[in-house]
Amino acid sequence: MKVLLLFFFLATIIATCQGASHPVVGHHKPGFRSSRVPRYPRNSRGSESHKPGFNCLSWRLTVETNNIRDWAVVPQACLSYVGHYMLDYQYREDAQAVADAAYNYAKSTPLIKDFRNTWIFDLGDTVLSSLPYYAQPNIAFGGTKYNSTKFAIWEMKGIAPVVPGILDLYKKLQSLGYKIVIISGRSESLRAVAIKNLKNLGFINWEKLILKQTSDKGTTSLVFKEKKRNELIAQAYRIIGNVGDQWNDLLGEHAGYRTFKVPNPMYYD
Ligand SMILES: *[C@@H]1O[C@H](CO)[C@@H](O)[C@H](O)[C@H]1NC(C)=O
């Protein structure tokens, strides 16, 4: 009986502590989140999803599901909404939920004998986050048109933080026996800076880091990535899973037995 009482006592304390550390906001239930994710500064402004005549939450859902394509900038009415989404807890938790789903699939899938069981990662905003770049006032979370020169200057610094949940997923996939292949539309000239950035964040032992060569210039991301996957298949790699923040990472031939879309409402490639 004493043991039982002690158990209830401890259980109550644990439940109370968890409740206190989790902001409870409608759809956000205590216990259904991960505390492992690094925190960006919190912004206290409330929901701004619903503007007269324009629902930004619906817009975000529509772009994430690839129902709207080829959009150039975030709609003016949703700049503030997207900014808060990206900096507050929801983006981190959405990204973590994607990583959790990917891991659950990976661990429940038997590896294929005699093949190189492979997991594909895209790089930008799937592994390396460009949120610090997009959070700059003149970029406005994708509210201004993409400027490749400006972005390249930031990229060259190699200071990208990790996308929430992704390092943990990467390591867990490796311990399950998957080979990690990173395929990115970035130029080969950015290899050294990308490697340094990845290693600083704790990414090690990838099987391949495939970047765009001069000869690939002018090829769309979709065609380039499909071509690289076909080359892998010819070398006895089997693509079990594939994670990317853009639909062009996840469509085309040999995209993976399962694909996982990391949220990104800031731009469409
Ligand atoms: C892009 O950024 C560069 C570097 O900041 C700037 O010189 C150039 O004018 C920008 N281009 C456009 C079209 O805004």
Side-chain angles (χ1 to χ4, degrees), residues 38-43 86-88 91-92 129 131-132 161-162 164:
R39 304 204 72 116
Y40 286 94
R42 196 160 249 295
N43 204 316
M86 291 305 295
L87 293 181
D88 211 336
Y91 166 69
R92 292 192 306 273
S129 171
L131 186 50
V162 67

Side-chain angles (χ1 to χ4, degrees), residues 133 138 145-151 153:
Y133 172 82
N138 56 342
K145 209 161 173 288
Y146 178 67
N147 180 326
S148 57
T149 315
K150 210 176 252 180
F151 185 67
I153 293 167

Side-chain angles (χ1 to χ4, degrees), residues 81-246:
Y81 166 76
V82 170
H84 286 120
Y85 170 75
M86 291 305 295
L87 293 181
D88 211 336
Y89 66 90
Q90 193 64 53
Y91 166 69
R92 292 192 306 273
E93 296 192 8
D94 287 354
Q96 182 68 54
V98 173
D100 290 346
Y103 175 63
N104 285 336
Y105 172 68
K107 76 170 180 208
S108 63
T109 302
L111 298 185
I112 310 169
K113 238 174 129 275
D114 303 325
F115 284 100
R116 294 160 165 166
N117 292 270
T118 305
W119 203 280
I120 306 267
F121 283 81
D122 162 58
L123 191 57
D125 289 306
T126 298
V127 176
L128 300 180
S129 171
S130 58
L131 186 50
Y133 172 82
Y134 277 89
Q136 297 174 104
N138 56 342
I139 310 297
F141 298 99
T144 57
K145 209 161 173 288
Y146 178 67
N147 180 326
S148 57
T149 315
K150 210 176 252 180
F151 185 67
I153 293 167
W154 183 82
E155 233 178 352
M156 286 298 291
K157 295 181 185 171
I159 52 165
V162 67
V163 169
I166 292 295
L167 178 59
D168 191 40
L169 172 65
Y170 178 100
K171 288 180 174 170
K172 282 171 164 174
L173 290 173
Q174 283 182 324
S175 60
L176 286 174
Y178 288 94
K179 298 194 181 298
I180 307 291
V181 175
I182 303 169
I183 308 181
S184 168
R186 288 185 191 195
S187 149
E188 179 64 36
S189 62
L190 288 163
R191 180 174 294 274
V193 68
I195 289 177
K196 189 157 176 273
N197 201 156
L198 285 167
K199 290 199 166 159
N200 283 342
L201 294 172
F203 291 90
I204 50 167
N205 296 335
W206 51 83
E207 174 84 358
K208 286 173 188 284
L209 170 60
I210 301 173
L211 302 175
K212 258 189 175 176
Q213 307 301 307
T214 325
S215 55
D216 298 311
K217 239 184 155 175
T219 315
T220 65
S221 294
L222 193 134
V223 171
F224 168 72
K225 293 187 174 199
E226 183 177 62
K227 183 176 160 224
K228 293 296 141 186
R229 290 194 305 264
N230 282 334
E231 288 171 16
L232 291 169
I233 296 297
Q235 296 163 45
Y237 289 91
R238 283 297 172 270
I239 301 164
I240 312 297
N242 181 356
V243 198
D245 71 302
Q246 296 295 316

Side-chain angles (χ1 to χ4, degrees), residues 5 27-28 36 43 148 154 227 233 244 264 266:
L5 277 176
H27 53 276
H28 189 189
R36 285 166 293 159
N43 204 316
S148 57
W154 183 82
K227 183 176 160 224
I233 296 297
N264 185 354
M266 299 188 296

